[in-house]
Structures are given as structure tokens and as C-alpha cells.
């Protein structure tokens, strides 16, 4: 709060504009070089500009379990959704958490958006169902597929497992005598000739079946189900209640599709307390351990007790996630609270299954908040409109600056140019670095930032003009104006940055993209003003055109109505002293 | 015209000396009137909340031959809800249907694709569940509250609490006016509007902070002189930063206007338009409030301080004495000047007398 010291101190770093300019030049060259080197020469476009579908999901915790919405659970959920979406053959779909409780799924254009939405929108459902029958994924139309109900290689895996500890269940997918299994399982009074055993009868229900129509329908469904067709896989699980007997597809240990006939769910995902893929040191293999809740343990005990009495393949239970069999271990003994699944796991598959099991145990469901489908044409149009608007806005600002500040506008325009270049390059680099995608609000933010950036120059220019009005000559005016302008710029940019930062932290979705751009450009504004505008101003003040206050320089003392100096003596001393740096308290 | 040109030239020379503080009652009155109007409008008419806040869908079709009314019929038939259809600049249609959930809107989209004879994947759709807007609104309110608290703390430290309070009041004032205009005109409130509104926070304060910064500088060591009262110096700092305020506002408004008229003109309604509209209104309000509300409020608060009261007394006493001696104030001695912080404080000293001529 003390009065500024008026001294003859050399203006410190400010008198060396070359350094600052060299610094920003190096930064610009390095960043631009980095951009070309990385090959990402354009900012990544958001769904709303490039076209595609963006889905926002909000996690909903079950009453009393609000703490379930936490980072770990959200990340598991992201993993599951990613699996689902990319299972549709979408390679570039990105799934990410946003804020504390939102998941954003961005699916680029050209994918089956409708199917993706269905997959993403549904809650992961995990059930343990007893296996009633297993068969190879058949293609009814192709004879060679139907004629091969041969034991799968995985069956041998199951045999090899026999000597193992009692507690272990083995993921097997055994294709065997499914005809008998189906009939037995469905408890049809008379043996029903099932289509699966004979290729020729495929798809023709037997009229003499005394079983109730539901059973017959199910048998037919099992017979005709072709697991190699993704559509049929999805359709098979549609609208199935946990209490239904159902058909489902799943991959066996060697990655081949198989179809299953499954009984009603005995245990569901909520009964699993925790599950992990762990490495068993003793046996030197990856296994999945499961802990059940007390209720779950009872149910699991019941089902394993029953299953362990059965013959292959009915001694298996299938772990069904979202209607797909993830694993179908066979059971050799009654299990209860703790269980482990062993078999031919590698690290990835063990941890995957562990995640799936624990995700099924999560008390999380997701609400679809918004689905935004933008066609590529509309996205392109919006991008174009945004760019045109930005160009016109920039043009208007330049015209205004030229009219009002004349020669000074050159500095402003150059600074805006530097700012624009840096913004562009950083946006392009942030795409691969942190997944930044330029969306429509971000474009708006960049356009709005033109005003913020230009304001810094205006503050500085007006300060210089004030100094000139007081009768100072150009060079001292430029130096004296700087500390004051600097403080104003810092204080106001801080407020602007604070607003952007708060918005970024607190909000979600589109608002966040906007806030990010605004914050980024505010920071760049400070960099540009300090390292570019001020040094250039210092340099130009040395030229005749600006230094002598040419009529068109924007710093003509006459036009500005400079006052004759009040204290002649003092002014002389000031100009004699050259640049003066009034240090602000 | 010549009068306007004259004002422009004087603005350019930094010669304006309008008595903002002296006339503050008028500006307070105007602002209170506007605020009351805004509140009444909000209470009576409410806000026209967009699809994002009610749940529903916005479909954007490519260029079609189907007329707006025809499209509206199709949309209402397909959805069973009211539909708003607009034709966009490019000849495409924007069909807005409220009250749909994300499931149902999918069917409507399929139906529309049949009715309008446009492939389904060519129809852009924005489907919003009813709670999405609520979530955004909640977050926006949280953001607003957090920002206000932080900024008040910051301003109280960087400046002083009176300025923080005045800035906060000016900020609320801007938001109220903006919301009021939305309510009065019936503009649709969308996520874009919320973004714009939140941006005004930064902008409005940005402007205010610049004026305060100059005020702080000019009132350094104020008690050591007896020439001017706090209000008078405050008035001078407004005048001193007036050119900057006007320029800043013009420069900020130009790109936003570009967004509003060009971006909006090409695409019709859309996020570009929503953001820029609320920014446009809020920016104008922000410039007004930093000059007419924030600074006069600071002066008002300051004048309540005993030190400032005493100063005013001394200043008035000195003036009375000078008047008794027949001395002209404007050409008074520069004795007090040295006590003031910097030369900036004397800028425009000779022009104080002009304030009366600018009135009216």
C-alpha cells in the first residue's frame, strides 16, 4: 500500500524483450513440431462435430448403498461397457467416466447406433444358472457344422482337472449327448426327438410332443439357435426372466462358440460379495476366487450340492452376464461361502472373470440420461457454422482494433495470431494426450476467448495512452504502463480462470468442454501477453513510427490530448532516466 | 450527430467526466426496477425450459420436401405429444418433441424416418431423459455457489470485503437481468443457455475487477490528502477506465454477435445460438453493472467508514474555506497531489467541471 518507489532501476527482464520472444518462439516451434511429429495435425473432433452417438449414463446406487458409486466401481463399469460396445465391432468407441457418477459412451459414426444403445443402456445382469445341455454353435444350414457334436478339446481339459482339489470348479464347455440332456432337463414325459441330434430335422418341431408348448418352443429355440450369428446371440437373451429356463451362447475355453440350455437362475450377481482373478502360487496357475454374501452362500451351497450329484454336462453351472455365458465351470463338490474357479485361465481372462463377477455384485444400475445422435452431415454443418462465426467475429474484432488503435492494432493482431496458433496446436496435441475432443461448446469457448484475449491488449494499450496523456514520451510510457496493466491482467484473468476451473470441476458433459477451452485460452492469454505482446511493444517503442507517436501509430500525443507536463523538471528527469519501472507495492 | 462525435472524440482522449457516483440513485433505481421486473416476469411467466430439462427428443432431418405443418402432424401422430417444428437455414427440419423417454423416442425416430421418407441414419437425434437437465442444473447451481464463495474470498483478499460484496451484488444483478430477459422474451432455456450464463460469471466479474483495480490504485493514500472524497475519486476511476470498459465490451460482444447471428442464422436454433444469446445479454448487463452498480456500491460502502467520513468533512471544510477566499478549486495548488499515490490519480483533474455539461 506504500507509494510506488520512483527510481532509476533498470527495468529488469523487461528491457530484454529478445529473451521472452525467443522463449515463446521456441515454445511455438517445439509445439508445432511436436504436433507434426505426432501426426495429429487436427484437433480430435467430438461426436457433435464429427457425427456419431454420444450416450450419457448416470450411476444409480441402490438405497442404503450410496457409497457404491465410487471410483473403483465406476471403472469396473466402464470396463464392462467397453467390452459390450466393442463387442459390436466398434473399434473406436470410447467409454469414460465423467464427474463422479456419469459415464459417457462415445460411438463414432458408421456403427449400429441402435444396437449400441441397447447394449449400453441395459444394466449388467449376472446370474448363475444350472446347465441343462450344451451343444456346439451350429449353423443349421451348413451340414458340416451340424454333423460335429464331437467332444470339444475343452472336454479333455475337464478330464485333466479331475485330479485337482475338490474345491475347484472347472470351466468346461462340454459338448455331449445334448439330446438326452434336453429331455431330461425339461422333464418331458416322453422322449422328444430333438432336432439337434439329427441334421435333417433341424427347425421342425414335433407335433407328437406331449410337453407343454413352452417346453417345445424352448427346445426348438435351442435347436435353431445359431451362436455364430451375433444377432441371434443378442436375441436369445431378450426378455428372459431369471426364473425362466432359457438358451444362451458362450465361448468355451478355446474361444469357440457354444450354446447352452440353462435352468432358472439360482444365484444372482448381488449374492457375490467379491471376486478376484488371483495367481495360485502352489499350483502355478491363475484362478478366480469368489466370496459370497451370507444369503448367497446358502444359495450357492444348495445349487452346488445338487449339481455335484449330476453327470456331465449337468454338473456345470453357467455364469451368465447380460445373457451370455461367460464361464461354465463344472462342480465336483458342495461349495459354500468361498469358492474358486480353476481351469485354463491366463492372467487376463482370470481378472476379466473376476471383474465381471464383482461387477455383477455391484449395487449399481445405470440410467440413460441422454443420447445424442449426430449425423456426419449435421456435424460438419455445425463445425462449419462455428468456424464461420469465429472467423467473422475475429474479423470484426480486428476491424474495430484497427479503427480504434491504428498502428497498435498490429501488435494486437499479431498477439491474437500467436494465441490462435498456440490454442490450435495445444488442442491438436491434447487429443491423443488426454482424449480431448473439440465439441461445439468448446468451439464457442474458443470464440468467446477472442474477447478475453483482446481485452488484455486493451488494458495495456489504454494504460500506455494514459501515460502519454500525462505527457510522457513513448518509451517510458510503455515501461511505466506495463506493471499496472500486468497487475490488472493477472487479477482479471485469475477471476476468469477461476470461473472456468470451477465449471470444469463441478459440471459434466458439454459444459465441461466449454470450461476447458475457456480455461486453456485464459492461461494462454497470460503467456502471450507476457512473452509476446509486452516484448514486441517494447521493441516497437524503439522504432521511429511508434516512438515518435506517428499520426497512425495509435499513440499520437496530440490526438490523445496529452497534457503539457505539469512539472517540467520532473518530466525531464524521467525522460532522461529512460525506462522507469515503478514498482507496485 | 456532432454531439455523439464529440463524445467519441472525448472518449478517445480520455476526457469524459460523467458523474456516475453522484447520480447513483438514478442507476440504483433503474436497476431495482429491472430486477423487480425480472423477478415478476420469472414468477408470472416462468422460464421456457428446453427439451433437456423436461426429457424429450430433438430430431434434425436433412433437407426434405415435407412442409413444416406436415412434419408437425407426423411427429405428433408418431409420438402422441406436442411437437415444435422449425425449418433451418439449410432447408432441414428441426423437430422437437417433449415428454418422451429415451426408449420411446427411438420408436418416434423410426416412425419419422418412414413418414418423412428419410433414412433413419440421416436423422440426427438428441434424446434426453428427464433427469439429465436436472443433473446439469444441480451442477450448475453448485458451480455457481462454489464460484461465488471463492471469488468473494479472492476479492476480499486482493481488494477488500466491500469490493467483494459490491462485485457479488453486481454479479447477482447481471444474472437476474439475464434470467429476466429470458423469461420476458420467452427464449428457450437449454444446456447452452446454462453454459452461457455460467460464463457471464467470469465476464461480469472480469469487467468489475478491472474497474476496482484502478479504484484501488487511485485511492492509495487517500486519507493523506484533502482535495477529493472517496466518491469523487471512485467516479474518476470509472471515467478513467470507461474507454477500456467500452472497448472491452465491444470486443467481447463482436465475436459473440458473430456466433449469435451467423452461427444461428446458418443453423437456426442450436447450441451455438443458445450459448451466444445468453452471453450477449449477460455481457451487456455485465458492462452496465460494473460501471453503474458495482463501483457506486463500493463508494457507498466506503463512505460509511469513519475515516472516509472524516475525509469528506475535511475536504468539504477545505472547499468552504477556499470558496470563502474566492479561490478556484480547479486551479488549486498541487499541494495535496504529492500525498496521493501516483500521477494516475490526477488524470483528468482539470476536467471535473465538465461533469455537469455531460448530464442530460
Amino acid at each position: 500500500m506504500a507509494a510506488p518507489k520512483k527510481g532509476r532501476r533498470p527495468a529488469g527482464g523487461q528491457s530484454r524483450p529478445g529473451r521472452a520472444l525467443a522463449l515463446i518462439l521456441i515454445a511455438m516451434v517445439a509445439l508445432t513440431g511436436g504436433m507434426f511429429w505426432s501426426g495429429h495435425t487436427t484437433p480430435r473432433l467430438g461426436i457433435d462435430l464429427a457425427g456419431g452417438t454420444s450416450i450419457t449414463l448416470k450411476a444409480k446406487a441402490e438405497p442404503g448403498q450410496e457409497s457404491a458409486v465410487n471410483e473403483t466401481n465406476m471403472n469396473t463399469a466402464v470396463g464392462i461397457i467397453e467390452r459390450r460396445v466393442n463387442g459390436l465391432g466398434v473399434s473406436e468407441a470410447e467409454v469414460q467416466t465423467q464427474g463422479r457418477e456419469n459415464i459417457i459412451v462415445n460411438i463414432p459414426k458408421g456403427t449400429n447406433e441402435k444396437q449400441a444403445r441397447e447394449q449400453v443402456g441395459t444394466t449388467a445382469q449376472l446370474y448363475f444358472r444350472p446347465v441343462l445341455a450344451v451343444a456346439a454353435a451350429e449353423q443349421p444350414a451348413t451340414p458340416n457344422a451340424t454333423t460335429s457334436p464331437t467332444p470339444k478339446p475343452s472336454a479333455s481339459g475337464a478330464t485333466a482337472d479331475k485330479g485337482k482339489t475338490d474345491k475347484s470348479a472347472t470351466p468346461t464347455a462340454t459338448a455331449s449327448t445334448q439330446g438326452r440332456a434336453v429331455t431330461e432337463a425339461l422333464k418331458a414325459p416322453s422322449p422328444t426327438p430333438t432336432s439337434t441330434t439329427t441334421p435333417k430335422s433341424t427347425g421342425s418341431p414335433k407335433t407328437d410332443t406331449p410337453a407343454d408348448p413352452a417346453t417345445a418352443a424352448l427346445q426348438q429355440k435351442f435347436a435353431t439357435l445359431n451362436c455364430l450369428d451375433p444377432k441371434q446371440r443378442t436375441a436369445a437373451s431378450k426378455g428372459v426372466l431369471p426364473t425362466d429356463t432359457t438358451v444362451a451362447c458362450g465361448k468355451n475355453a478355446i474361444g469357440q462358440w457354444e450354446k447352452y440350455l440353462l435352468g432358472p437362475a439360482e444365484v444372482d450377481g448381488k449374492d457375490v460379495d467379491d471376486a478376484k482373478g488371483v495367481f495360485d502360487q502352489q499350483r502355478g496357475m491363475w484362478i478366480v476366487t469368489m466370496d459370497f454374501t451370507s444369503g448367497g452362500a446358502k444359495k450357492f451351497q444348495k445349487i452346488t450340492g445338487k449339481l455335484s450329484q449330476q453327470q456331465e454336462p449337468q454338473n456345470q453351472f453357467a455364469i451368465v452376464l447380460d445373457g451370455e455365458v461367460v464361464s461354465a465351470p463344472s462342480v465336483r463338490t458342495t461349495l459354500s461361502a468361498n469358492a474358486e474357479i480353476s481351469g485354463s485361465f491366463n492372467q487376463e481372462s482370470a481378472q476379466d472373470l473376476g471383474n465381471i463377477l464383482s461387477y455383477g455384485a455391484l449395487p449399481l444400475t445405470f440410467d440413460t440420461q441422454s443420447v445424442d445422435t449426430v449425423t456426419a452431415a449435421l456435424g460438419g454443418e455445425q463445425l462449419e457454422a462455428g468456424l464461420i462465426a469465429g472467423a467473422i467475429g475475429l474479423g470484426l474484432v480486428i476491424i474495430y482494433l484497427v479503427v480504434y488503435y491504428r498502428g497498435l492494432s498490429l501488435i494486437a493482431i499479431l498477439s491474437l495470431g500467436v494465441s490462435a496458433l498456440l490454442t490450435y496446436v495445444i488442442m491438436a496435441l491434447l487429443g491423443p494426450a488426454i482424449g480431448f475432443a473439440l465439441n461445439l461448446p468448446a468451439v464457442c469457448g474458443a470464440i468467446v476467448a477472442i474477447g478475453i484475449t483482446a481485452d488484455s491488449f486493451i488494458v495495456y494499450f489504454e494504460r500506455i495512452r494514459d501515460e502519454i496523456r500525462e505527457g510522457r514520451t513513448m518509451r517510458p510510457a510503455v515501461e511505466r504502463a506495463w506493471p499496472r496493466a500486468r497487475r490488472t491482467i493477472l487479477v482479471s484473468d485469475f477471476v476468469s480462470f477461476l470461473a472456468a476451473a470451477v465449471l470444469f470441476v463441478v459440471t459434466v458433459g458439454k459444459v465441461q468442454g466449454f470450461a476447458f477451452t475457456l480455461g486453456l485460452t485464459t492461461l494462454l492469454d497470460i503467456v502471450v501477453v507476457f512473452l509476446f505482446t509486452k516484448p514486441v511493444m517494447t521493441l516497437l517503442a524503439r522504432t521511429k513510427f511508434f516512438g515518435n507517436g506517428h499520426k497512425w501509430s495509435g499513440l499520437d500525443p496530440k490526438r490523445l490530448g496529452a497534457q503539457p507536463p505539469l512539472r517540467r523538471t520532473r518530466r525531464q528527469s524521467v525522460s532522461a532516466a529512460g525506462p522507469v519501472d515503478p514498482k507496485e507495492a | 450527430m456532432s454531439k455523439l462525435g464529440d463524445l467519441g472524440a472525448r472518449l478517445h482522449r480520455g476526457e469524459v467526466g460523467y458523474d456516475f457516483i453522484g447520480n447513483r440513485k438514478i442507476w440504483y433505481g433503474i436497476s431495482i426496477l429491472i430486477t423487480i421486473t425480472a423477478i415478476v416476469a420469472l414468477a408470472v411467466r416462468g422460464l421456457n425450459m428446453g427439451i433437456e430439462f423436461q426429457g424429450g427428443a430433438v430430431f434434425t432431418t436433412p433437407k426434405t420436401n415435407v412442409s413444416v405443418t406436415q412434419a408437425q402432424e407426423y411427429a405428433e401422430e408418431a409420438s402422441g405429444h406436442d411437437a415444435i417444428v422449425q425449418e433451418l437455414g439449410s432447408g432441414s427440419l428441426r423437430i422437437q418433441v417433449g415428454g418422451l423417454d429415451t426408449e420411446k423416442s427411438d420408436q418416434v425416430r423410426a416412425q419419422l424416418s418412414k413418414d418423412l421418407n428419410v433414412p433413419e441414419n440421416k436423422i440426427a437425434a438428441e434424446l434426453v431423459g428427464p433427469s439429465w437437465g436436472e443433473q446439469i442444473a444441480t451442477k450448475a447451481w453448485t458451480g455457481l455457489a462454489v464460484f461465488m464463495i471463492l471469488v468473494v474470498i479472492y476479492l476480499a483478499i486482493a481488494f477488500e470485503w466491500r469490493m467483494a460484496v459490491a462485485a457479488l451484488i453486481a454479479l447477482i444483478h447481471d444474472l437476474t437481468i439475464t434470467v429476466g430477459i429470458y423469461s420476458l422474451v420467452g427464449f428457450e432455456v437449454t444446456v447452452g443457455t446454462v453454459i452461457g450464463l455460467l460464463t457471464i460469471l467470469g465476464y461480469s466479474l472480469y469487467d468489475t475487477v478491472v474497474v476496482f483495480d484502478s479504484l484501488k490504485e487511485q485511492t492509495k493514500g487517500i486519507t493523506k490528502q484533502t482535495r477529493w472524497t472517496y466518491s469523487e475519486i471512485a467516479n474518476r476511476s470509472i471515467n478513467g477506465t470507461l474507454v477500456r470498459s467500452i472497448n472491452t465490451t465491444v470486443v467481447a460482444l463482436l465475436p459473440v454477435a458473430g456466433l449469435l447471428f451467423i452461427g444461428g442464422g446458418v443453423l437456426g436454433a442450436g447450441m451455438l445460438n443458445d450459448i451466444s444469446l445468453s452471453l450477449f445479454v449477460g455481457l451487456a448487463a455485465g458492462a452496465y453493472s460494473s460501471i453503474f452498480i458495482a463501483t457506486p456500491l463500493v463508494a457507498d460502502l466506503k463512505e460509511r467508514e469513519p475515516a472516509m467520513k472524516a475525509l469528506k468533512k475535511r475536504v468539504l471544510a477545505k472547499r468552504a474555506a477556499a470558496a470563502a477566499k474566492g479561490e478556484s478549486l480547479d486551479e488549486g495548488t498541487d499541494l495535496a497531489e504529492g500525498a496521493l499515490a501516483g500521477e494516475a490519480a490526477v488524470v483528468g483533474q482539470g476536467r471535473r467541471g465538465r461533469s455537469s455539461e455531460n448530464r442530460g
Side-chain angles (χ1 to χ4, degrees), chain B:
Chain B
M1 182 60 219
S2 70
K3 215 179 167 187
L4 198 68
D6 185 44
L7 179 70
R10 276 190 290 117
L11 269 177
H12 193 89
R13 293 196 294 270
E15 277 180 12
V16 282
Y18 185 82
D19 193 4
F20 293 100
I21 306 279
N23 293 328
R24 63 180 183 276
K25 296 240 159 70
I26 300 173
W27 304 116
Y28 288 170
I30 290 174
S31 284
I32 290 170
L33 206 68
I34 296 176
T35 312
I36 291 173
T37 315
I39 292 170
V40 169
L42 201 60
V44 175
R45 292 173 56 107
L47 286 170
N48 176 14
M49 300 306 257
I51 279 301
E52 281 121 324
F53 293 96
Q54 314 169 351
V58 181
F59 304 101
T60 313
T61 69
K63 200 167 158 40
T64 62
N65 297 321
V66 179
S67 72
V68 168
T69 40
Q70 185 68 50
Q72 187 171 359
E73 267 172 44
Y74 285 145
E76 288 181 353
E77 206 172 294
S79 65
H81 290 272
D82 286 342
I84 303 168
V85 180
Q86 292 165 284
E87 192 170 351
L88 303 182
S90 50
S92 50
L93 297 176
R94 184 177 187 266
I95 304 167
Q96 193 174 320
V97 188
L100 294 181
D101 55 21
T102 43
E103 291 282 305
K104 183 85 201 294
S105 53
D106 216 26
Q107 297 167 21
V108 176
R109 184 176 171 214
Q111 185 61 41
L112 274 176
S113 130
K114 259 186 237 152
D115 289 342
L116 300 175
N117 196 19
V118 177
E120 197 173 338
N121 59 12
K122 287 272 164 71
I123 301 181
E126 201 185 337
L127 322 174
V128 186
S131 58
W132 177 230
E134 206 176 290
Q135 198 190 346
I136 291 213
T138 315
K139 302 236 166 186
W141 282 117
T142 319
L144 187 67
V146 171
F147 176 71
M148 279 183 172
I149 293 167
L150 288 180
V151 102
V152 163
I153 293 172
Y154 173 70
L155 290 180
I157 294 169
F159 299 109
E160 57 173 310
W161 68 265
R162 288 174 192 82
M163 290 186 179
V165 168
L168 190 64
I169 292 174
L171 182 64
I172 293 170
H173 168 262
D174 296 344
L175 289 174
T176 318
I177 290 184
T178 312
V179 172
I181 287 177
Y182 263 77
S183 172
L184 273 176
V185 183
F187 291 134
E188 199 177 17
V189 178
T190 63
V191 171
T193 314
V194 174
I195 295 177
L197 213 60
L198 292 171
T199 314
I200 295 169
L201 302 179
Y203 253 146
S204 161
L205 278 163
Y206 189 104
D207 228 25
T208 310
V209 161
V210 172
V211 181
F212 282 1
D213 192 53
S214 141
L215 181 59
K216 180 189 171 189
E217 190 187 309
Q218 298 209 16
T219 52
K220 252 186 236 164
I222 185 171
T223 49
K224 292 185 194 119
Q225 52 86 44
T226 51
R227 271 174 75 87
W228 296 293
T229 63
Y230 190 93
S231 294
E232 283 161 351
I233 292 180
N235 196 51
R236 226 178 28 215
S237 42
I238 302 178
N239 280 302
T241 49
L242 196 59
V243 181
R244 195 217 58 88
S245 289
I246 292 171
N247 282 355
T248 306
T249 308
V250 169
V251 164
L253 279 176
L254 286 176
V256 173
L259 267 185
L260 183 58
F261 298 114
I262 293 109
V266 174
L267 283 172
M271 177 155 285
L272 283 175
N273 225 2
D274 298 335
I275 297 182
S276 47
L277 182 66
S278 59
L279 271 179
F280 196 84
V281 177
L283 275 176
Y288 166 81
S289 73
S290 67
I291 296 170
F292 294 101
I293 304 299
T295 317
L297 272 177
V298 172
D300 257 353
L301 288 169
K302 267 297 209 190
E303 291 288 2
R304 281 161 212 263
E305 260 183 76
M308 293 303 141
K309 272 188 192 158
L311 173 68
K312 194 173 177 184
K313 227 182 211 169
R314 287 205 304 277
V315 171
L316 292 180
K318 195 186 163 203
R319 276 184 202 166
K325 278 190 217 157
E327 265 180 47
S328 157
L329 266 177
D330 278 350
E331 283 153 39
T333 60
D334 279 328
L335 271 179
E337 193 190 314
L340 268 179
E343 282 90 331
V346 259
V347 176
Q349 69 174 93
R351 305 181 195 103
R352 274 210 65 248
R354 286 175 205 258
S355 60
S356 55
E357 105 196 14
N358 277 338
R359 239 170 266 167

Side-chain angles (χ1 to χ4, degrees), chain A residues 294-563:
Chain A
S294 58
K298 274 186 209 121
K299 289 191 218 167
F300 195 60
Q301 194 169 6
K302 208 177 106 197
I303 182 181
T304 49
K306 224 165 31 181
L307 289 176
S308 57
Q309 310 299 316
Q310 305 278 337
Q311 293 291 310
E312 292 255 347
Q314 288 169 327
N315 66 345
Q316 300 176 62
F317 65 85
I319 300 170
V320 187
L321 178 79
D322 292 334
E324 201 167 281
V325 178
V326 195
S327 179
S330 53
V331 180
R332 278 180 250 302
T333 181
T334 307
L335 299 167
S336 132
N338 305 304
E340 59 176 59
I341 307 173
S342 62
S344 45
F345 287 119
N346 55 28
Q347 176 171 3
E348 200 189 337
S349 61
Q351 285 173 346
D352 248 17
L353 183 57
N355 276 342
I356 289 167
L357 288 171
S358 35
Y359 181 61
L362 293 181
L364 275 189
T365 53
F366 286 92
D367 277 348
T368 307
Q369 296 282 307
S370 75
V371 182
D372 202 349
T373 308
V374 179
T375 59
L378 183 65
E381 245 173 70
Q382 291 187 334
L383 180 62
E384 200 182 325
L387 292 180
I388 292 173
I392 289 175
L394 193 63
L396 289 173
V397 168
I398 288 175
I399 290 171
Y400 185 84
L401 288 173
V402 169
V403 168
Y404 197 85
Y405 286 111
R406 305 194 171 195
L408 278 182
S409 64
L410 178 73
I411 300 167
I413 291 164
L414 281 176
S415 309
L416 277 175
V418 171
S419 198
L421 179 79
L422 283 175
T423 310
Y424 181 86
V425 172
I426 289 178
M427 277 180 173
L429 283 172
L430 284 180
I434 60 163
F436 170 81
L438 190 67
N439 58 12
L440 206 49
V443 172
C444 282
I447 294 172
V448 166
I450 297 174
I452 291 187
T453 310
D455 182 69
S456 304
F457 316 142
I458 293 174
V459 168
Y460 187 31
F461 293 164
E462 287 302 326
R463 281 291 191 183
I464 296 175
R465 289 177 148 197
D466 280 346
E467 298 293 334
I468 287 177
R469 282 188 193 109
E470 280 175 53
R472 282 195 184 84
T473 54
M474 184 64 186
R475 283 173 68 173
V478 165
E479 297 310 320
R480 276 186 65 87
W482 174 240
R484 294 173 179 179
R486 180 178 62 197
R487 196 188 57 194
T488 309
I489 292 168
L490 284 178
V491 166
S492 47
D493 269 348
F494 180 81
V495 169
S496 199
F497 185 76
L498 190 66
V502 168
L503 275 186
F504 184 78
V505 172
V506 176
T507 56
V508 285
K510 293 166 177 170
V511 189
Q512 224 178 18
F514 181 82
F516 183 86
T517 323
L518 210 58
L520 175 70
T521 46
T522 308
L523 285 182
L524 283 179
D525 175 41
I526 292 175
V527 170
V528 169
V529 167
F530 274 69
L531 295 183
F532 186 81
T533 311
K534 167 64 182 47
V536 166
M537 192 71 229
T538 306
L539 283 183
L540 285 182
R542 294 173 188 170
T543 63
K544 218 174 130 198
F545 180 76
F546 284 100
N548 294 349
H550 187 277
K551 210 166 75 173
W552 288 100
S553 67
L555 291 167
D556 180 8
K558 267 189 228 123
R559 260 189 70 86
L560 292 172
Q563 287 184 298

